[in-house]
């Protein structure tokens, strides 16, 4: 590292991380190509150390506009444009951030133009640069993917992920391609069965050869679930043939073993970043939320997975807030699915963990909103008579247990304490929350 760039980086070392991020970006234009690579490395370490809210606050439209001006002024060295954007996109994805500021900025259109220009070169096309542009674009585009680019980029990145000799050298390339595909699948559904067939082949190949990293495997499944057809046949394939529920439980169990659940807040603050395992757990739970609201095909593995999520919820509540919030989010999606089993909430311990949470939550809190939403949805479903005699007996039994829990644990008073903040929670977190406090009570 040269003395000038070293001095520049050191001068910023004591500043708050968001300010350091912004000044490192704007300072890139003052250095040569080699020094810019050192600044990009420093940017990566800053983003790695940021928490989710810090990085979200740093990724402003203004930052993307500044990068666009540097590209147009030719102030970014060759390939440093996509390397910078891929670095930002990687950490945006790993912090599980959904933000539309890239799409709102003129950098998005500029990137699309750069992609088209590289694609249409008759001579001297740079495949490495093109793949880097593809990955950067997908990693950053939450809702702004050009419909003519989507099939081309998807096909190319699937090829990168599958047509590789299995070696440590290519493992990172495969992981990055699948991460980009999983992020891009937020913004546009793939057209054509061949893309889903290819991702299915990648998943089955991993089951046989264990050739993907834990993150890459999660990304392959995220791409699959975000693009699956919710018709009956597709659900049978995913649930029965591909054993999705069993796979998720296995992966979550393995990842949970890698997390130091007793880590103190001070230790977490002093570490460079939260462990990768916790980030992948959050990503799995995000996928499960979408799966739970869409699926209507359940088997015995479903109950085992829900039980594990309940236990993960309890384990994470003390010092892994994002994991506990994502557990609650996944369970909320399940509660909103009218096709989920009505007795699963009692049988798998959902009612117990929600009861525990409601008795210790702050009033204006996303977790409080999700727990109330789960509770409300269960009460609403129990208020409707079932046409099936067996289900009707289960409904009455669960209704009785919920009524007893209300009385024994004082939940009626706990829920009443949320009454004055229900409108706040409805406005900011969950519009489906009822403002009528009596809707939350069970009458037998």
């Amino acid at each position: 590292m040269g003395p000038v760039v070293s001095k520049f980086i050191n001068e910023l070392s004591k500043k708050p991380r968001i300010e350091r991020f912004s000044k490192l970006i704007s300072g890139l234009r003052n250095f040569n190509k080699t020094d810019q690579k050192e600044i990009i490395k420093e940017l990566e370490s800053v983003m790695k150390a940021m928490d989710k809210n810090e990085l979200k606050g740093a990724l402003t439209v203004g930052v993307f506009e500044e990068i666009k001006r540097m590209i147009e002024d030719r102030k970014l060295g060759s390939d440093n444009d996509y390397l910078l954007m891929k670095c930002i996109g990687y950490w945006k994805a790993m912090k599980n951030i959904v933000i539309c500021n890239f799409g709102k900025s003129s950098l998005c259109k500029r990137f699309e133009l750069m992609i088209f220009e590289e694609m249409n070169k008759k001579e001297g096309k740079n495949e490495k640069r093109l793949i880097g542009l593809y990955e950067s674009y997908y990693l950053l585009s939450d809702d702004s993917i050009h419909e003519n680019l989507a099939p081309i980029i998807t096909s190319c990145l699937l090829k990168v992920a599958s047509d590789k000799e299995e070696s440590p050298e290519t493992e990172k390339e495969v992981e990055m391609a699948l991460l980009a595909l999983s992020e891009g699948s937020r913004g546009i559904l793939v057209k054509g069965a061949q893309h889903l067939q290819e991702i299915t082949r990648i998943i089955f190949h991993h089951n046989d050869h264990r050739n993907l990293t834990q993150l890459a495997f999660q990304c392959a499944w995220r791409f699959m679930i975000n693009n699956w057809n919710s018709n009956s046949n597709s659900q049978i394939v995913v649930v029965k043939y591909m054993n999705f529920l069993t796979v998720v439980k296995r992966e979550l169990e393995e990842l949970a073993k890698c997390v130091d659940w007793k880590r103190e807040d001070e230790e977490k603050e002093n570490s460079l970043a939260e462990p990768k395992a916790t980030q992948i757990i959050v990503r799995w739970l995000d996928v499960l939320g979408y799966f739970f609201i869409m699926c209507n095909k359940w088997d015995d593995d479903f109950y085992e997975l829900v039980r594990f999520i309940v236990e993960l919820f309890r384990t994470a509540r003390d010092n892994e807030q994002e994991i506990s919030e994502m557990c609650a989010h996944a369970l909320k999606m399940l509660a909103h699915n009218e096709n989920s089993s009505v007795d699963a909430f009692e049988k798998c311990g959902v009612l117990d963990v929600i009861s525990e949470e409601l008795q210790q939550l702050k009033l204006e809190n996303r977790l409080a909103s999700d727990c109330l939403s789960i509770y409300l949805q269960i009460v609403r479903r129990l208020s409707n008579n079932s046409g099936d005699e067996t289900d009707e007996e289960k409904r009455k039994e669960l209704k009785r247990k919920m009524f007893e829990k209300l009385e024994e644990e004082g939940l009626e008073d706990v829920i009443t304490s949320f009454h004055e903040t229900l409108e706040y929670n409805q406005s900011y977190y969950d519009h489906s929350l009822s403002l009528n406090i009596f809707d939350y009570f069970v009458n037998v």
Side-chain angles (χ1 to χ4, degrees):
M1 184 185 295
V4 178
V5 72
S6 177
K7 180 182 178 182
F8 170 68
I9 290 173
N10 288 336
E11 286 175 348
L12 297 176
S13 62
K14 300 299 183 183
K15 295 188 179 296
R17 286 189 285 249
I18 294 179
E19 185 179 350
R20 284 173 65 194
F21 177 87
S22 177
K23 290 186 179 298
L24 286 167
I25 292 285
S26 60
L28 281 165
R29 63 168 57 246
N30 301 319
F31 294 90
N32 62 34
K33 176 182 177 180
T34 302
D35 286 342
Q36 285 176 353
K37 291 188 185 299
E38 295 299 326
I39 294 174
I40 292 172
K41 287 181 182 178
E42 180 65 16
L43 273 166
E44 181 170 22
S45 69
V46 172
M47 288 185 286
K48 186 177 182 181
M50 284 177 166
D51 64 31
K52 180 175 181 174
N53 290 329
E54 282 180 308
L55 185 55
K56 194 170 184 177
L59 298 179
T60 63
V61 172
V63 163
F64 292 126
E65 294 293 350
E66 175 65 23
I67 295 171
K68 187 243 188 182
R69 286 192 291 271
M70 284 191 284
I71 291 173
E72 293 190 333
D73 295 342
R74 300 185 182 279
K75 294 296 185 179
L76 276 175
S78 175
D79 293 339
N80 283 349
D81 47 8
Y82 80 80
L83 289 174
L84 170 63
M85 297 306 291
K86 189 160 74 168
C87 179
I88 294 173
Y90 175 84
W91 285 106
K92 170 186 169 294
M94 291 307 295
K95 307 289 185 181
N96 203 41
I97 293 171
V98 179
I99 187 170
C100 302
N101 287 345
F102 174 72
K104 292 175 183 176
S105 74
S106 55
L107 179 60
C108 180
K109 295 300 180 186
R110 177 64 189 176
F111 242 71
E112 291 170 357
L113 178 61
M114 291 160 62
I115 290 172
F116 280 120
E117 287 175 346
E118 193 66 40
M119 283 170 47
N120 294 326
K121 281 184 178 178
K122 289 186 169 49
E123 295 181 1
K125 184 185 294 186
N126 186 331
E127 289 295 331
K128 182 179 179 181
R129 173 175 173 78
L130 192 56
I131 291 170
L133 290 170
Y134 286 166
E135 290 173 340
S136 304
Y137 182 63
Y138 261 22
L139 286 167
L140 289 163
S141 298
D142 287 324
D143 66 346
S144 55
I145 296 174
H146 195 294
E147 62 179 356
N148 292 335
L149 285 175
I152 298 170
I153 295 176
T154 300
S155 295
C156 177
L157 294 184
L158 281 170
K159 189 172 187 299
V160 171
S162 57
D163 291 356
K164 290 283 185 185
E165 293 293 329
E166 293 171 11
S167 68
E169 292 74 23
T170 60
E171 189 177 80
K172 191 65 179 178
E173 294 178 26
V174 172
E175 183 180 88
M176 185 62 75
L178 288 170
L179 180 63
L181 282 166
S182 75
E183 293 301 297
S185 64
R186 292 177 185 269
I188 192 166
L189 296 177
V190 299
K191 296 179 180 179
Q194 71 274 14
H195 290 144
L196 291 180
Q197 290 171 356
E198 183 58 31
I199 202 68
T200 301
R201 191 188 71 78
I202 290 171
I203 289 170
F204 276 121
H205 186 77
H206 171 77
N207 289 339
D208 292 337
H209 301 281
R210 307 296 289 181
N211 62 305
L212 300 176
T213 65
Q214 288 178 309
L215 174 60
F217 187 56
Q218 188 278 330
C219 291
W221 267 111
R222 185 179 201 164
F223 179 82
M224 164 70 82
I225 297 300
N226 281 356
N227 284 286
W228 74 329
N229 187 329
S230 59
N231 66 40
S232 180
N233 289 336
S234 295
Q235 294 199 21
I236 290 172
V237 169
V238 168
V239 175
K240 299 288 187 183
Y241 183 50
M242 300 183 72
N243 299 313
F244 175 66
L245 299 169
T246 303
V247 167
V248 178
K249 181 173 179 288
R250 180 196 71 206
E251 293 295 308
L252 286 173
E253 285 176 333
E254 291 180 3
L255 289 161
K257 293 174 183 176
C258 302
V259 178
D260 181 5
W261 298 106
K262 301 298 183 183
R263 194 167 41 143
E264 299 294 333
D265 289 341
E266 185 177 349
E267 293 174 332
K268 192 184 300 186
E269 180 67 25
N270 292 333
S271 66
L272 279 178
E274 58 184 317
K276 195 174 184 179
T278 64
Q279 296 165 336
I280 304 174
I281 289 172
V282 167
R283 291 174 61 83
W284 272 119
L285 292 168
D286 191 30
V287 172
L288 278 175
Y290 180 76
F291 177 83
F292 280 158
I293 196 66
M294 296 290 290
C295 188
N296 57 25
K297 299 292 180 184
W298 312 102
D299 58 15
D300 290 341
D301 294 328
F302 158 73
Y303 291 95
E304 293 302 315
L305 176 59
V306 175
R307 287 189 186 97
F308 183 79
I309 294 173
V310 167
E311 290 309 309
L312 186 61
F313 196 165
R314 286 196 174 97
T315 302
R317 63 165 50 129
D318 290 335
N319 61 0
E320 292 293 348
Q321 182 180 355
E322 188 173 12
I323 291 180
S324 62
E325 288 178 351
M326 292 304 295
C327 286
H329 173 75
L331 294 174
K332 182 178 81 169
M333 294 297 100
L334 180 62
H336 278 260
N337 186 335
E338 297 292 331
N339 294 305
S340 59
S341 173
V342 70
D343 66 333
F345 304 103
E346 191 273 330
K347 184 183 293 186
C348 300
V350 176
L351 284 176
D352 291 332
V353 77
I354 294 306
S355 172
E356 295 163 11
E357 290 298 318
L358 286 175
Q359 295 185 59
Q360 60 183 357
L361 288 173
K362 297 178 181 178
L363 296 182
E364 296 178 0
N365 180 294
R366 177 178 294 277
L367 196 53
S369 173
D370 283 348
C371 289
L372 283 169
S373 183
I374 295 168
Y375 202 87
L376 177 62
Q377 290 304 317
I378 295 173
V379 171
R380 282 175 173 171
R381 291 181 62 182
L382 291 177
S383 298
N384 299 320
N385 292 329
S386 171
D388 183 274
E389 186 175 332
T390 303
D391 286 346
E392 180 65 12
E393 286 301 316
K394 290 180 180 178
R395 183 187 72 85
K396 289 180 179 178
E397 177 63 14
L398 182 53
K399 195 173 182 180
R400 182 185 61 78
K401 288 182 178 180
M402 283 190 68
F403 178 80
E404 292 174 353
K405 186 177 289 290
L406 269 172
E407 289 195 325
E408 292 172 6
E409 301 182 12
L411 275 179
E412 187 169 318
D413 291 336
V414 172
I415 294 172
T416 302
S417 70
F418 286 95
H419 191 202
E420 292 183 2
T421 61
L422 280 174
E423 188 169 0
Y424 172 88
N425 280 279
Q426 185 193 58
S427 300
Y428 285 88
Y429 302 126
D430 188 350
H431 64 86
S432 68
L433 286 174
S434 173
L435 300 182
N436 183 356
I437 194 68
F438 297 105
D439 288 345
Y440 295 85
F441 302 144
V442 181
N443 297 309
V444 295

